Amino acid sequence: MTDPEQARSATPPDSGEEGEAIKAVPLRHPWRALIAVVLVLALAVFILDAAQREDYGWADVGKYIFDKRISQAALVTLQLTVYSMLIAIVLGLLLAIMRLSPNPVVKSVAWLYLWIFRGTPVYVQLVFWGIVALIYPVLTLGVPFMTPWVTLPNDVFHNLFITAVIGLALNEAAYMSEIVRAGLLSVDEGQEEASKALAMSWGQTMRYIVVPQAMKIIIPPTGNEVISMLKTTSLVAAIPLSIDLYGVSRGISAVTFTPVPLLIVASIWYLLFTSVLMVGQHFIEKRFSRGTGRRKEDKPTTGGDPAAFTGSHAGNGPTTAALTNAPAGNEAGGKG
Amino acid sequence: MTGMTMVHADRVSKSFGTNTVLRSISLSVDAGEVLCIVGPSGSGKSTFLRCINHLERVDAGRLSVEGQLVGYREKGGRLYELKPKEAAFQRREIGMVFQRFNLFPHLTAVENIIQAPMRVKRMSKAKATARAVELMERVGLGDKGDYYPAHLSGGQQQRVAIARALAMDPKLMLFDEPTSALDPELVGEVLDVMKGLAKSGMTMIVVTHEMGFAREVADSLVFMDGGVVVESGDPRQVLTDPQHERTKAFLSKVL
């Protein structure tokens, strides 16, 4: 809008003295204060009310929160989460690489997997895995439609815990593959090219160059997936497995007829775990945003584009990471 | 060393789909020689450079480095495409510097430099690091080894990229418009490093728009347009007295 010539003359270069400090009356925000007061009051009323309400059964909450059965069930929930996530991440990486394969058949198979496992509810899938042993009572190895060489009873699915892990992992792998794929695709092509030009093999390029950079994009959504998985484990009731946190809480309340306190007990445990996971995620994100944050020791003296340094709290979302990833971001950094 | 042919291109052609980007390029670079390739964008000069280390596949003609066919193996009169591993082995002796630097942003300058020696040559980390520090001195960045690329200026990043390529002890260095992405005041520092490298006897092929550099440093100059070599020869000769109309038209715009 303004003529650049004019704008320059408007600010005389180094006039020597600074302009008068501004002492203006700050803008008032009456609505902000009002809304805050209303919210605090509403919350206080709710808490006071809840503390006195019989149905919450706070005494029972206190009684069961550290119940041995509950804490053991919490451990089961944790195990379900960890095992299924680990399998899902490995399988997801495999599927992501398959999706990026130049082989159209390999690519299609990965897509088909994604289509089925992401397109049907996890609850339905868990019910299916619960009865799969009835559909396939024996596992065979051999030439199709001929007498099999090896026949094994399908025992795996008789163990409901393993069934739950398999069911949750296979479903989650579909989501993880998309996350990993997005991460791999976010790495600039020039990185692979530079690595190739340095005579590094495909495997070395992936391991040392592409995947470490993709991690920055992969970790935040994976953290969300872990948290989401922790809660999804409550659906193993569909198998039916009832030794997890929610299953056991329900089991106890079915006997004591106190459903609400036990729901609260289970929720507290879930919240505890998700809170711990959130803290862990924060530190892992920090670790993988190396090179986008501030320099290790001394801070940059000349301020480049501040956007280039938002990486110090990068990992808030792909947008920040993508920003710092762009080649332009490299130059925007301070001149050292 | 001099007198030995480092790169030999014999009627090299390359197309992307129906788009022919290189038509029958023939040229030869001797060991210790500096060749500058100039020309308008889209003339195929970068593609030709990328063919030399097999980042792109040649479709026709023969391209060889030190007498070895690039990307193919000839056996019994037939050509066989090299496996990725074999192609990687050929690239060990060819360093490349990119327009956009392509430093690894998650690694410090020194870590960038030691990757290839450690992974490809299985050099020990201590040895590779000592060499990296030495190379950083050589490109004038002795105190910046622990910096991440994002904290270096464009010119500094490109100098690290040169050091990274040199860490593999290449016999041939390819420069793909190494100063085109730089702010004007940073171009000089990169060109200075390249001049030093040329003086040390490195064989270099430089795709560039820096006519001053070409005039001063290059032993020969090639002008490309539309995928063909339009004119080539002594850089001073070509730049001051171009014979071809297209060369004249191009030079009148850039000089």
Side-chain angles (χ1 to χ4, degrees):
Chain A
M1 228 61 89
T2 8
D3 183 354
E5 204 59 49
Q6 214 176 4
R8 217 171 297 146
S9 60
T11 50
D14 283 328
S15 60
E17 47 186 297
E18 284 175 34
E20 194 196 340
I22 292 171
K23 283 187 213 118
V25 179
L27 186 62
R28 307 277 177 207
H29 299 284
W31 286 103
R32 280 189 201 170
L34 184 69
I35 290 168
V37 167
V38 169
L39 283 176
V40 168
L41 280 177
L43 191 65
V45 167
F46 176 77
I47 290 172
L48 285 173
D49 173 77
Q52 292 161 2
R53 220 168 255 273
E54 288 277 303
D55 295 315
Y56 282 116
W58 294 110
D60 281 336
V61 172
K63 187 167 134 201
Y64 287 111
I65 187 84
F66 296 120
D67 191 293
K68 192 96 196 279
R69 286 169 293 174
I70 292 286
S71 51
Q72 252 162 8
L75 189 67
V76 171
T77 285
L78 218 49
Q79 284 173 323
L80 282 170
T81 308
V82 171
Y83 296 153
S84 50
M85 273 317 287
L86 286 178
I87 296 171
I89 288 169
V90 173
L91 203 58
L93 181 68
L94 184 75
L95 284 164
I97 290 172
M98 284 170 74
R99 278 295 292 279
L100 299 172
S101 158
N103 184 335
V105 176
V106 170
K107 210 186 231 174
S108 307
V109 167
W111 182 86
L112 189 72
Y113 182 95
L114 184 91
W115 181 61
I116 292 172
F117 282 89
R118 205 176 57 169
T120 57
V122 63
Y123 190 90
V124 173
Q125 288 172 30
L126 288 171
V127 172
F128 174 82
W129 294 116
I131 56 173
V132 76
L134 300 177
I135 310 171
Y136 300 98
V138 289
L139 297 175
T140 58
L141 184 70
V143 184
F145 309 112
M146 307 277 277
T147 317
W149 306 327
V150 190
T151 304
L152 292 167
N154 194 353
D155 282 339
V156 180
F157 292 97
H158 290 161
N159 181 327
L160 296 183
F161 180 83
I162 293 175
T163 306
V165 169
I166 291 173
L168 291 170
L170 292 183
N171 176 259
E172 183 58 30
Y175 292 92
M176 279 311 302
S177 82
E178 283 297 274
I179 290 170
V180 173
R181 191 168 73 105
L184 295 178
L185 286 175
S186 77
V187 179
D188 184 56
E189 257 183 310
Q191 294 290 309
E192 209 175 322
E193 211 157 65
S195 179
K196 215 168 157 185
L198 286 165
M200 293 216 257
S201 69
W202 181 83
Q204 288 171 332
T205 303
M206 282 312 243
R207 184 165 163 205
Y208 300 112
I209 307 302
V210 176
V211 171
Q213 291 182 59
M215 286 309 253
K216 207 170 54 188
I217 304 292
I218 293 172
I219 294 229
T222 302
N224 290 340
E225 290 299 311
V226 175
I227 289 169
S228 169
M229 175 61 85
L230 187 91
K231 297 173 293 170
T232 306
T233 55
S234 62
L235 295 182
V236 295
I239 286 178
L241 180 72
S242 55
I243 56 168
D244 71 306
L245 184 51
Y246 176 63
V248 168
S249 317
R250 223 176 11 153
I252 295 173
S253 64
V255 178
T256 60
F257 298 111
T258 53
V260 180
L262 279 145
L263 282 181
I264 294 173
V265 165
S267 300
I268 290 172
W269 277 95
Y270 282 118
L271 267 176
L272 173 76
F273 287 146
T274 49
S275 307
V276 171
L277 288 172
M278 280 164 75
V279 173
Q281 188 183 2
H282 172 79
F283 284 105
I284 296 174
E285 274 176 23
K286 238 173 142 179
R287 167 79 173 71
F288 280 100
S289 60
R290 271 181 312 170
T292 54
R294 286 176 190 280
R295 216 177 289 142
K296 261 188 278 175
E297 295 112 76
D298 47 309
K299 299 200 163 95
T301 41
T302 54
D305 180 1
F309 293 106
T310 51
S312 52
H313 45 88
N316 288 342
T319 23
T320 347
L323 235 178
T324 45
N325 217 20
N330 289 348
E331 285 175 68
K335 300 277 144 69
Chain B
M1 275 291 267
T2 21
M4 208 183 85
T5 306
M6 180 62 77
V7 178
H8 186 74
D10 177 25
R11 287 164 295 161
V12 167
S13 295
K14 163 84 192 162
S15 33
F16 294 109
T18 55
N19 180 22
T20 308
V21 284
L22 296 178
R23 292 167 210 268
S24 215
I25 303 277
S26 291
L27 57 82
S28 185
V29 182
D30 286 343
E33 193 183 334
V34 177
L35 169 74
C36 279
I37 305 178
V38 299
S41 56
S43 59
K45 49 197 194 318
S46 285
T47 306
F48 178 68
L49 201 68
R50 293 159 57 82
C51 285
I52 297 173
N53 68 349
H54 201 48
L55 284 181
E56 303 289 354
R57 216 176 58 172
V58 169
D59 295 335
R62 294 285 188 274
L63 180 62
S64 56
V65 174
E66 282 198 303
Q68 257 205 339
L69 218 50
V70 174
Y72 298 93
R73 184 170 6 99
E74 198 158 18
K75 202 174 156 195
R78 288 198 64 168
L79 286 184
Y80 295 87
E81 208 176 330
L82 289 187
K83 291 179 194 148
K85 222 178 199 166
E86 297 166 316
F89 193 82
Q90 284 191 335
R91 289 192 195 102
R92 288 168 64 135
E93 314 231 290
I94 307 172
M96 187 162 192
V97 174
F98 299 87
Q99 182 178 355
R100 302 221 119 264
F101 330 134
N102 295 355
L103 288 179
F104 307 132
H106 62 303
L107 301 173
T108 64
V110 163
E111 285 170 346
N112 261 275
I113 298 171
I114 63 175
Q115 288 307 306
M118 272 168 59
R119 314 292 178 212
V120 180
K121 289 191 167 172
R122 306 267 166 223
M123 197 184 275
S124 74
K125 187 170 182 183
K127 209 173 152 198
T129 306
R131 175 103 170 90
V133 169
E134 203 180 294
L135 285 165
M136 285 292 279
E137 291 289 349
R138 187 167 164 193
V139 298
L141 294 171
D143 55 337
K144 298 276 193 283
D146 291 335
Y147 282 47
Y148 284 101
H151 301 133
L152 296 170
S153 73
Q156 292 169 335
Q157 288 189 50
Q158 193 61 299
R159 286 189 277 158
V160 173
I162 293 172
R164 179 175 71 175
L166 290 175
M168 288 294 281
D169 294 313
K171 290 183 175 160
L172 168 66
M173 284 284 284
L174 308 174
F175 292 86
D176 188 4
E177 302 199 28
T179 57
S180 297
L182 297 177
D183 290 340
E185 81 266 24
L186 303 176
V187 168
E189 60 189 66
V190 173
L191 292 182
D192 284 344
V193 169
M194 289 168 65
K195 279 177 203 166
L197 202 55
K199 223 171 267 170
S200 74
M202 177 64 74
T203 315
M204 293 162 61
I205 302 180
V206 186
V207 169
T208 186
H209 293 298
E210 296 294 328
M211 298 305 159
F213 175 82
R215 194 194 311 260
E216 193 185 331
V217 181
D219 298 303
S220 54
L221 185 123
V222 164
F223 172 71
M224 279 178 72
D225 191 13
V228 298
V229 172
V230 175
E231 196 165 342
S232 65
D234 180 79
R236 284 146 291 259
Q237 173 78 36
V238 176
L239 290 174
T240 46
D241 183 24
Q243 299 300 307
H244 210 281
E245 280 309 315
R246 276 196 280 176
T247 321
K248 280 179 194 167
F250 175 74
L251 290 176
S252 72
K253 276 181 219 154
V254 297
L255 283 179

